[in-house]
């Protein structure tokens, strides 16, 4: 877990940070403590920071960020840390995100310990700290059993030089102007949670623990989800690679065959295309022929009116002819009948003559047949015809 504890000077964030660090076995990184150490050891950095600290002002970002960079890079901070008193302005908050981002990490929680200003002043003025173990007391509402001595280790208690009323005023003003924007920054990044820092230290810690545990659970859940996604991606890429290898091998093996097959398919396709073109042409020709035929037929169909008329005429002529023929035949028949009658008459006459001859043994010379008016007429009609 990577947690930042925020709060005005005297909010008790240092005390809670210590408890959290113990609970989760993580380093408590307090810029105030580190700067005080540096001042006490009179290191170049300490000498640089001393003036600003005693005035209740912020030490330069360059110095503070240098300290933080070095501390977070230490091995004990790899699995997480509890930051106390940092960041104190927007630049520091952004620098921390960059620093963590560069390490492939991110902040899990920004926890504000909220205390009103009156309570803050009382705490700061009455605050005493064990120089040996860092245990904190307050002469007004949590005094040590023995005046000036730590209950835990018997170490000497110290009243911080910047915990005087004048410096406290400056520190609170700096908090309002420079540190409050940091709260907004974490709110925007959905990292900010708040706990009321009033009451028993243990109760405040319990409230903090509830928040931390819930964040921890969601961090774990997120980590599991990320792991699952990473595993799925790895599995997918492995399967993909395997499939690719298989396809490449298949391609290599059946390359020639596939080429041949493709060529055959292409040729077949061409043939089919050609046949289709031929078929289309044939059907076109057929269609033309049918069209022509239909046209002819319709033309023929149109003719019957003329033909019919012609036919009618023809029929009339034929009828006429037939009538004439009939007439002629009738006449002929009449003539032939008449002829037959004449013949018969002639034959019967001849017969009579021959009979008479036979009777008189010698037949008398044949008398010329007199022509009757009827006979003459009949003969002339027959000739005419
Ligand atoms: P603290 O113990 O956190 O109240 O810090 C004590 C003093 O150290 C502050 O009043 C500042 O002068 C200085 N200090 C601590 N942390 C920072 C920081 N992050 N940036 C600048 N100055 C700091």
């Amino acid at each position: 877990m990577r947690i930042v504890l925020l709060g005005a000077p005297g909010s008790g964030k240092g005390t809670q940070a210590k408890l959290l660090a113990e609970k989760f076995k993580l380093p408590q990184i307090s810029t105030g403590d580190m700067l005080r150490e540096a001042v006490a050891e009179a290191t170049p950095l300490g000498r640089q920071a001393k003036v600003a600290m005693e005035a209740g002002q912020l030490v330069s970002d360059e110095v503070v960020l240098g300290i933080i960079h070095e501390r977070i890079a230490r091995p004990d901070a790899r699995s997480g840390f509890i930051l106390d008193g940092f960041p104190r302005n927007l630049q520091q908050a952004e620098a921390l995100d960059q620093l963590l981002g560069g390490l492939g990490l991110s902040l899990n929680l920004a926890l504000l310990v909220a205390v009103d200003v009156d309570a803050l002043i009382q705490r700061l003025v009455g605050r005493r700290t064990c120089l040996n173990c860092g245990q904190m007391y307050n002469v007004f509402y949590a005094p040590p059993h023995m005046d000036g001595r730590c209950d835990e280790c018997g170490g000497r208690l110290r009243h911080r030089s910047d915990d005087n009323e004048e410096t406290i005023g400056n520190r609170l003003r700096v908090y309002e102007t420079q540190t409050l924007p940091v709260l907004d920054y974490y709110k925007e990044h959905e990292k900010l949670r708040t706990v009321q820092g009033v009451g028993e230290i243990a109760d405040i810690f319990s409230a903090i623990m509830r928040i931390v545990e819930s964040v921890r659970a969601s961090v774990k859940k997120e980590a599991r989800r990320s792991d699952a996604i990473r595993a799925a991606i790895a599995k997918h890429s492995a399967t993909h690679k395997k499939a690719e290898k298989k396809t490449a091998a298949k391609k290599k093996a059946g390359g020639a065959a596939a080429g041949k097959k493709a060529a055959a398919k292409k040729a077949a396709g061409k043939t089919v295309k050609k046949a289709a073109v031929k078929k289309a042409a044939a059907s076109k020709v057929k269609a033309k022929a049918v069209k022509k035929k239909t046209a002819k037929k319709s033309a023929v169909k149109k003719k019957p009116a003329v033909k019919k008329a012609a036919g009618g005429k023809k029929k009339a002529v034929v009828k006429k002819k037939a009538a004439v023929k009939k007439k002629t035949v009738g006449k002929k028949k009449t003539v032939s009948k008449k002829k037959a009658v004449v013949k018969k008459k002639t034959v019967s006459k001849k017969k009579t003559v021959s009979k008479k001859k036979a009777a008189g043994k010698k037949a008398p010379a044949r008398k010329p047949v007199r022509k009757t008016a009827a006979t003459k007429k009949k003969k002339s009609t027959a000739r005419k015809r």
Side-chain angles (χ1 to χ4, degrees):
M1 288 287 284
R2 285 170 289 277
I3 301 169
V4 158
L5 277 174
L6 299 164
S11 62
K13 63 182 187 306
T15 307
Q16 298 299 335
K18 199 168 179 264
L19 294 172
L20 274 175
E22 280 166 13
K23 176 82 186 170
F24 294 109
K25 301 200 172 10
L26 293 171
Q28 176 200 356
I29 301 173
S30 160
T31 43
D33 282 350
M34 286 194 280
L35 287 168
R36 271 186 291 277
E37 246 176 63
V39 171
E41 287 169 12
T43 62
L45 192 143
R47 279 199 294 275
Q48 227 179 303
K50 196 175 183 250
V51 186
M53 286 174 82
E54 282 178 352
Q57 300 295 324
L58 291 184
V59 176
S60 73
D61 287 344
E62 196 192 341
V63 170
V64 177
L65 288 172
I67 294 172
I68 284 290
H69 206 289
E70 186 273 327
R71 183 65 188 89
I72 283 177
R74 280 194 217 166
D76 66 334
R78 238 172 247 164
S79 53
F81 48 74
I82 312 293
L83 272 176
D84 162 23
F86 179 94
R88 260 184 156 100
N89 61 28
L90 259 182
Q91 289 84 337
Q92 291 181 13
E94 287 167 353
L96 176 64
D97 277 349
Q98 274 179 17
L99 177 63
L100 293 176
L103 297 169
L105 305 168
S106 66
L107 194 73
N108 303 127
L109 171 67
L111 186 67
L112 168 68
V113 182
V115 180
D116 69 68
V117 180
D118 287 343
L120 283 175
I121 292 169
Q122 202 181 24
R123 279 188 193 182
L124 289 170
V125 173
R127 183 162 66 180
R128 303 288 182 272
T129 315
C130 173
L131 281 172
N132 186 42
C133 69
Q135 182 63 40
M136 283 157 111
Y137 298 89
N138 192 289
V139 292
F140 300 115
Y141 49 83
H145 293 301
M146 217 206 287
D147 201 17
R149 284 284 161 191
C150 177
D151 293 346
E152 303 292 321
C153 67
R156 211 156 49 86
L157 299 182
R158 185 188 68 150
H159 184 208
R160 270 170 57 170
S161 60
D162 58 350
D163 276 350
N164 60 73
E165 280 185 42
E166 196 195 318
T167 315
I168 289 167
N170 280 342
R171 287 162 70 197
L172 290 174
R173 268 191 294 278
V174 167
Y175 177 77
E176 271 180 23
T177 55
Q178 300 202 45
T179 313
L180 284 181
V182 176
L183 305 184
D184 294 334
Y185 175 84
Y186 287 126
K187 206 185 262 179
E188 276 170 29
H189 287 75
E190 296 178 347
K191 298 266 167 78
L192 186 73
R193 301 290 291 272
T194 305
V195 69
Q196 291 306 313
V198 188
E200 291 295 314
I201 290 173
D203 294 341
I204 298 166
F205 184 64
S206 296
I208 287 174
M209 276 303 290
R210 281 195 289 276
I211 292 171
V212 173
E213 286 298 357
S214 78
V215 171
R216 208 164 155 230
S218 60
V219 166
K220 271 187 180 172
K221 202 175 167 185
E222 188 56 45
R224 271 200 300 273
R225 199 181 298 157
S226 304
D227 285 351
I229 290 168
R230 261 198 297 275
I233 289 168
K235 198 180 169 186
H236 178 78
S237 66
T239 314
H240 188 70
K241 266 183 190 170
K242 217 176 171 181
E244 261 184 356
K245 254 186 183 175
K246 223 176 176 179
T247 313
K250 256 188 186 175
K251 242 184 189 174
K252 215 175 176 182
K260 267 184 189 174
K261 217 175 179 181
K265 209 175 177 183
K266 210 176 175 184
K270 267 185 184 172
T271 313
V272 167
K273 219 176 183 180
K274 267 185 186 173
V277 169
K278 249 183 180 175
K279 208 176 173 183
S283 63
K284 219 175 183 181
V285 169
K286 212 175 174 183
K288 257 187 183 176
V290 169
K291 213 175 176 185
K292 227 175 179 178
K293 218 174 173 182
T294 316
K296 242 183 187 176
K297 259 187 186 175
S298 62
V300 169
K301 258 185 190 173
K302 269 181 186 172
K303 267 183 184 174
V306 182
K307 228 179 173 180
K308 219 175 178 181
K313 263 184 187 172
K314 266 182 189 171
K315 266 184 186 173
V317 170
V318 170
K319 263 184 182 175
K320 217 175 179 179
K321 272 184 181 172
V324 171
K325 212 175 176 180
K326 210 176 173 183
K327 219 176 176 180
T328 318
V329 169
K331 269 182 183 171
K332 264 183 182 170
K333 267 183 181 172
T334 320
V335 169
S336 62
K337 261 182 184 175
K338 274 176 182 172
K339 266 183 179 174
V341 168
V342 170
K343 216 176 177 178
K344 213 177 174 181
K345 270 182 179 173
T346 317
V347 169
S348 67
K349 258 182 186 175
K350 268 180 182 174
K351 268 181 180 174
T352 318
V353 169
S354 60
K355 265 180 185 175
K356 271 177 183 174
K357 265 184 182 177
K361 281 193 183 173
K362 228 181 172 182
R366 195 187 159 195
K367 276 184 187 175
V369 177
R370 254 192 229 172
K371 281 178 188 174
T372 62
T375 319
K376 271 181 190 174
K377 204 181 176 182
K378 270 177 197 169
K379 269 190 180 174
S380 73
T381 318
R383 241 182 254 137
K384 266 181 198 172
R385 278 171 201 159

